[in-house]
Amino acid sequence: MNSIEIATLTPAAETQDRLAELLVATVAAGGSVSFMHPLAPQAARGFWERSLAAAARGERAVLGAWDGKNLVGTVTLLLDCPPNQPHRAEIAKLMTRTDYRGRGVGTRLMRAAENLAVEKGRTLLVLDTATEEGASGLYERLGFTLAGEIPDYALKPHGGLTGTLIYWKRIGQIS
């Protein structure tokens, strides 16, 4: 995994295409990341165009894990919180290519997102993950605390309801 490099992504057309491919493959594999299967590549690309435009405005950061020229994972750090929550950030859209899972990519992406949140002065991270087939084990290993579960929160990509688990973690210097 030493060859994996984590970098902030920019709205280059090639990057958007690779992100779209990753999103389509994640949803096809059952990843609960807000989309239903089958996900049209154009819809996936449109999502990333909007997401990277929001990143350019400073509302979020989109990080990518690269193995050479291959995008093998991504995570988004949502920074655009309400005025009474400037201390908080949210983790979203953690995805790792299926052939790279279990090799530390998700951990590296999460640590990079947490470090970036600290650099941005955030002291609390929150996230949610599907109850079924989500990444709760990873989040708990990284020190996140389970706040609770909401049953029947969303549809799974191939149909049927799943709950969601809500997690939080204190980071950085708390004033």
Side-chain angles (χ1 to χ4, degrees):
M1 280 292 100
N2 291 339
S3 64
I4 302 295
E5 296 204 16
I6 308 298
T8 301
L9 300 180
T10 61
E14 186 176 347
T15 300
Q16 290 178 16
D17 290 341
R18 290 193 175 155
L19 283 165
E21 290 167 9
L22 178 60
L23 180 56
V24 168
T26 299
V27 171
S32 185
V33 288
S34 304
F35 295 92
M36 298 299 291
H37 179 73
L39 176 58
Q42 311 90 290
R45 194 172 197 290
F47 168 78
W48 287 115
E49 286 176 12
R50 292 185 301 279
S51 186
L52 290 168
R57 293 189 301 270
E59 298 166 3
R60 63 183 61 193
V62 181
L63 303 176
W66 296 92
D67 186 2
K69 294 187 182 266
N70 296 316
L71 180 67
V72 299
T74 187
V75 69
T76 298
L77 182 66
L78 302 175
L79 299 164
D80 189 25
C81 294
N84 69 338
Q85 299 169 34
H87 61 287
R88 181 175 76 73
E90 184 172 347
I91 298 288
K93 303 293 181 279
L94 176 65
M95 293 178 264
T96 302
R97 261 181 38 179
T98 55
D99 55 335
Y100 277 78
R101 290 184 185 162
R103 296 169 57 183
V105 174
T107 297
R108 297 217 17 223
L109 283 163
M110 287 295 294
R111 286 187 177 139
E114 183 175 330
N115 290 338
L116 181 57
V118 169
E119 287 175 23
K120 300 279 186 189
R122 306 308 164 103
T123 58
L124 181 69
L125 280 179
V126 297
L127 61 84
D128 67 81
T129 189
T131 302
E132 298 174 34
E133 301 179 27
S136 60
L138 170 65
Y139 300 133
E140 290 172 12
R141 283 191 303 277
L142 292 173
F144 282 82
T145 300
L146 177 64
E149 177 179 3
I150 303 171
D152 299 337
Y153 187 78
L155 290 172
K156 295 184 275 188
H158 294 275
L161 288 169
T162 185
T164 193
L165 302 170
I166 310 294
Y167 284 91
W168 62 272
K169 182 178 182 181
R170 292 201 183 277
I171 59 171
Q173 298 284 38
I174 301 165
S175 17

